[in-house]
Amino acid sequence: MNDVIVFGVGHSGTSLLTKMIHALGWSPNDADATFAESVRMREINRQLLAGAPLQAQMAASLEFVRSLSRPFAVKDPRLVETLWHWTEVFAALQLAPMLIMVERNYEAIAQSYTDRNELVRGKP
C-alpha cells in the first residue's frame, strides 16, 4: 500500500475521504478525531505560512515524516499553500506518496462555510 497525502481546500470533503482511508488500514498517526488532520503537519504548515525560517521547518518536517507509521495517510487543508515544501521533504527522503486531490464545486464550498457560520466580514 502506498503512503497517501489527501489534498484539497477546506470544506471540500478531505476529512471524510481521509477518515475512510484510515478505516481501510492506512495509519492515521497523529490525526485529530474531528478533521483527520495531522496535528504535527498542521503545526509545521502554520509556521511555514507565518514565515518561519525554512531551514528549521525542513528539519522538523524531515523528523516528522521519519516518525510516521507506514503506510500513512495525512491531510491538512494548508497543503494547498505548502505542498511545495512537502514535495521537497518527501523527495529528500526518497518517498513518493500518492497525492489524492479532492475537488468540489465553489458554490458548494461557500455554502458549507455559510451553513457552519464560518464567515469573515460576512462572507464565506
Side-chain angles (χ1 to χ4, degrees):
M1 293 183 349
N2 290 343
D3 300 316
V4 173
I5 298 173
V6 178
F7 176 79
V9 299
H11 295 257
S12 64
T14 57
S15 296
L16 177 63
L17 176 61
T18 304
K19 288 176 182 181
M20 292 170 63
I21 292 170
H22 291 159
L24 290 169
W26 277 258
S27 179
N29 288 286
D30 67 338
D32 65 31
T34 305
F35 301 110
E37 292 176 10
S38 165
V39 173
R40 185 67 182 124
M41 178 179 268
R42 179 172 53 210
E43 181 57 32
I44 292 168
N45 283 334
R46 284 180 176 161
Q47 291 177 18
L48 284 168
L49 294 172
L54 288 179
Q55 190 171 19
Q57 294 313 304
M58 179 58 89
S61 301
L62 289 166
E63 178 184 328
F64 163 68
V65 173
R66 285 186 188 112
S67 76
L68 294 174
S69 296
R70 299 183 66 196
F72 59 77
V74 295
K75 77 90 153 165
D76 178 15
R78 293 156 198 84
L79 286 167
V80 171
E81 298 182 69
T82 64
L83 188 61
W84 60 270
H85 169 76
W86 294 98
T87 301
E88 292 176 12
V89 170
F90 289 114
L93 296 172
Q94 298 182 342
L95 295 174
M98 179 186 310
L99 180 63
I100 300 175
M101 183 175 165
V102 178
E103 294 183 3
R104 185 176 182 191
N105 172 288
Y106 172 79
E107 289 79 19
I109 291 172
Q111 187 61 51
S112 177
Y113 276 97
T114 301
D115 292 347
R116 295 181 191 182
N117 200 30
E118 295 178 9
L119 308 174
V120 176
R121 291 184 286 279
K123 296 185 179 186

